[in-house]
Amino acid sequence: MKKLSLGKQAEIVKATIPQPYTIEFEGETIEINPVLGLGQKKDFTEIVWSLYYNADKDGNFDFRPYTFDFATRLATIYCYTNVKIDFAQDVEKYYPLAQYSGLYEAIVESFDSTITRDHKTLMESTEKYIDRKCAELANIDAFTAKSQIDLLIESVLTKASVLLHSFRDENGKVDIKEVFAAVSDVKKLADQDGLVGKILDFRFQP
């Protein structure tokens, strides 16, 4: 089977790819670039994520699902048009523009069927990206908590070791019953609720 040459592919793309165009909105000419590259699509998803998971005025990061619609609208305006959006400033000032001015609607309504499909796919991919990022953060939180518990258990085991050394007999042998007892105590701690508090309260007296 003969492969389609790169030159012929370029000709096809040039003849079929949607070209930039303009629309009129509230007396202003808005330039629209209907075809986003992969880098621009990545920017789109990152914009949405940065608004979805962001810091409050006190600097505490948290999930903000209520920003999703605003974020996707703002990302659409930024990535598809020449409307200036300064992300270095407080982006909430763009909320009325994105939500209520009708600009977003004018943009997406100007898309032909191919770009509408592309934009819809991008929105769906962005939602999946956010779901994955949320799951990653949840896993990190769980791992961090487990690591802290592991460190506490390691501390208990270390103290248990010191304790058991104090029970060595005169021949330098360890009483195996004491070893089993120490391991059993640690296992009981791990199987009970309030593990962190129990470990913090647990004391060996070497």
Coordinates of all heavy atoms in Angstrom, one line a residue, residues 2-17 19:
K2 N 0.6 2.1 -0.9 CA 1.4 3.4 -1.0 C 1.0 4.4 0.0 O -0.2 4.6 0.2 CB 1.2 4.0 -2.4 CG 2.1 5.2 -2.7 CD 1.9 5.7 -4.1 CE 2.8 6.9 -4.3 NZ 2.6 7.5 -5.7
K3 N 2.0 4.9 0.7 CA 1.7 5.9 1.8 C 1.5 7.3 1.2 O 2.1 7.6 0.2 CB 2.9 5.9 2.8 CG 3.2 4.6 3.5 CD 2.0 4.3 4.4 CE 2.4 3.0 5.2 NZ 1.3 2.6 6.2
L4 N 0.6 8.0 1.8 CA 0.4 9.4 1.4 C 1.6 10.2 1.9 O 1.9 10.3 3.0 CB -0.9 9.9 2.1 CG -1.5 11.2 1.5 CD1 -2.0 11.0 0.1 CD2 -2.7 11.7 2.4
S5 N 2.2 10.9 0.9 CA 3.4 11.7 1.2 C 3.1 12.9 2.2 O 2.0 13.3 2.3 CB 4.0 12.2 -0.1 OG 3.2 13.2 -0.6
L6 N 4.2 13.3 2.8 CA 4.0 14.5 3.7 C 3.6 15.7 2.9 O 2.8 16.5 3.4 CB 5.3 14.8 4.4 CG 5.8 13.7 5.4 CD1 7.1 14.1 6.0 CD2 4.7 13.5 6.5
G7 N 4.1 15.9 1.7 CA 3.7 17.0 0.9 C 2.2 17.0 0.6 O 1.5 18.0 0.7
K8 N 1.7 15.8 0.3 CA 0.2 15.7 -0.1 C -0.6 15.9 1.2 O -1.7 16.5 1.2 CB -0.1 14.3 -0.6 CG -1.5 14.1 -1.0 CD -2.0 15.1 -2.1 CE -1.3 14.9 -3.4 NZ -1.9 15.8 -4.4
Q9 N -0.1 15.4 2.4 CA -0.8 15.7 3.6 C -0.9 17.2 3.9 O -1.9 17.7 4.3 CB 0.0 15.0 4.8 CG -0.1 13.5 4.7 CD 0.7 12.8 5.8 OE1 0.7 13.3 7.0 NE2 1.5 11.8 5.5
A10 N 0.2 17.9 3.7 CA 0.2 19.3 3.9 C -0.8 20.0 3.0 O -1.5 21.0 3.4 CB 1.6 19.9 3.7
E11 N -0.9 19.6 1.8 CA -1.9 20.2 0.8 C -3.3 19.9 1.3 O -4.2 20.9 1.3 CB -1.7 19.5 -0.6 CG -0.4 19.9 -1.3 CD -0.3 19.3 -2.6 OE1 -1.3 18.7 -3.1 OE2 0.8 19.3 -3.2
I12 N -3.6 18.7 1.8 CA -4.9 18.4 2.3 C -5.3 19.3 3.5 O -6.4 19.9 3.6 CB -5.0 16.9 2.7 CG1 -4.9 16.1 1.4 CG2 -6.3 16.6 3.4 CD1 -4.9 14.6 1.7
V13 N -4.3 19.4 4.4 CA -4.5 20.2 5.6 C -4.8 21.6 5.3 O -5.7 22.3 5.8 CB -3.3 20.1 6.6 CG1 -3.4 21.1 7.7 CG2 -3.2 18.7 7.2
K14 N -4.0 22.2 4.4 CA -4.1 23.6 4.0 C -5.5 23.8 3.4 O -6.1 24.9 3.5 CB -3.0 24.0 3.0 CG -3.0 25.4 2.6 CD -1.9 25.7 1.7 CE -1.9 27.2 1.3 NZ -0.7 27.5 0.4
A15 N -6.0 22.8 2.6 CA -7.3 23.0 1.9 C -8.5 22.8 2.8 O -9.6 23.3 2.5 CB -7.3 22.1 0.7
T16 N -8.3 22.1 3.9 CA -9.5 21.7 4.7 C -9.5 22.3 6.1 O -10.6 22.4 6.7 CB -9.5 20.2 4.9 OG1 -8.3 19.7 5.5 CG2 -9.7 19.5 3.5
I17 N -8.4 22.6 6.7 CA -8.3 23.1 8.1 C -9.1 24.4 8.3 O -8.9 25.3 7.4 CB -6.9 23.2 8.6 CG1 -6.9 23.3 10.1 CG2 -6.1 24.3 8.0 CD1 -5.5 23.2 10.8
Q19 N -9.8 28.1 9.1 CA -8.9 29.2 9.2 C -9.5 30.3 10.3 O -10.6 30.3 10.6 CB -8.8 29.9 7.9 CG -8.2 29.0 6.8 CD -6.8 28.6 7.1 OE1 -6.0 29.4 7.5 NE2 -6.5 27.3 7.0

